[in-house]
Amino acid sequence: MRILVVNVNTTPSMTEGIVASARAAAAPGTEIVGLTPRFGADSCEGNVESYLAALGVLDQVLKYPEPYDAVIQAGFGEHGREGLQEALDVPVVDITEAAAITAGLLGHKFGIVTSLDRTVPLIEDRLLLAGLDRRCSAIVASGLSVLELEQDHARTVAAIVAKAKEIVEQRGVEVICLGCGGMAGLDEAVSEATGAPVVDGVAAAVALAEGLVRMKLSTSKVRTYAPARPKKLSGWPLP
């Protein structure tokens, strides 16, 4: 089984971290291939960057030359999952939805710790669109930008732990979701400090994607994600 794990930003080191987390979660025999968009922002923290990322991810996946069995979009709260589902015949899993679905199996209410406050509305909208918002009790920002998450491991863990403890103690949260692809691999450290289960969206997405492939299930093409009607698309695909 081969799964493409696509970073939504153009920072190669972040792709490497996401891929490492995906490979650690993958079952024996699953090949994880990391992809980085060839254009877009070096970190996604707003709507313009998110829409660029959606196009960059689609461009990168459609240009991948080898067969693959599933695609993971590794951006928390980002646009684009629906386009991938319409364009592809294999399962597509978004890490936001994967984290929320998994957290919902572990506790009555879950909470999300993300990067900057401006990303909170994007995550709220993604959960609402996916019908996963009712189980979410809190979405809070760590105050660290996406790129800052890589700079100081101890500082990053401390910032996430502080917010995680806050929402566990004050907001009724029973499960924590790491709300950024750049937080991949931090689940154990945060869980140890808070005592609550912590869901890494990348790892959750790998498990879900593997399960869908093994069950021979993929996106329905009956209606919403049916192939696009043939028509002229000016300038697409990109050269």
Side-chain angles (χ1 to χ4, degrees), residues 3-237:
I3 299 176
L4 305 185
V5 179
V6 195
N7 184 9
V8 297
N9 66 48
T10 59
T11 301
S13 60
M14 197 156 292
T15 303
E16 292 170 8
I18 290 168
V19 167
S21 180
R23 287 176 177 159
T30 297
E31 178 187 3
I32 300 294
V33 177
L35 299 179
T36 305
R38 60 196 179 110
F39 59 86
D42 60 358
S43 65
C44 293
E45 294 162 332
N47 283 285
V48 171
E49 294 157 1
S50 181
Y51 279 110
L52 281 172
L55 186 59
V57 168
L58 184 62
D59 169 73
Q60 193 74 348
V61 170
L62 294 181
K63 283 183 166 57
Y64 186 76
E66 303 295 332
Y68 52 90
D69 300 290
V71 173
I72 292 172
Q73 178 172 291
F76 217 92
E78 305 302 333
H79 299 90
R81 184 262 296 162
E82 296 86 352
L84 287 169
Q85 285 187 292
E86 183 176 301
L88 305 177
D89 293 324
V90 301
V92 176
V93 181
D94 170 78
I95 66 169
T96 320
E97 296 165 14
I101 290 168
T102 303
L105 301 175
L106 303 175
H108 180 63
K109 291 288 187 178
F110 67 88
I112 299 170
V113 181
T114 187
S115 52
L116 299 179
D117 183 67
R118 64 174 294 149
T119 67
V120 170
L122 276 74
I123 297 172
E124 290 175 337
D125 287 350
R126 173 52 60 186
L127 293 179
L128 179 63
L129 185 63
L132 297 167
D133 57 306
R134 293 186 64 184
R135 300 287 293 278
C136 183
S137 183
I139 306 174
V140 294
S142 66
L144 298 177
S145 70
V146 172
L147 296 181
E148 285 179 312
L149 295 171
E150 291 189 313
Q151 294 174 3
D152 186 331
H153 178 78
R155 178 192 180 205
T156 296
V157 172
I160 297 170
V161 165
K163 288 298 181 179
K165 284 184 175 180
E166 177 184 306
I167 59 177
V168 168
E169 295 169 1
Q170 301 177 18
R171 305 284 292 275
V173 166
E174 300 173 352
V175 184
I176 302 294
C177 296
L178 299 177
C180 178
M183 296 178 181
L186 300 180
D187 49 316
E188 290 186 11
V190 179
S191 181
E192 183 177 332
T194 61
V198 176
V199 180
D200 174 350
V202 174
V206 170
L208 288 175
E210 287 179 325
L212 290 171
V213 173
R214 291 196 179 97
M215 290 189 290
K216 297 180 171 57
L217 294 173
S218 191
T219 306
S220 172
K221 297 296 181 179
V222 171
R223 189 184 187 191
T224 307
Y225 302 114
R229 296 176 61 192
K231 62 184 67 175
K232 180 181 178 181
L233 296 176
S234 301
W236 181 263

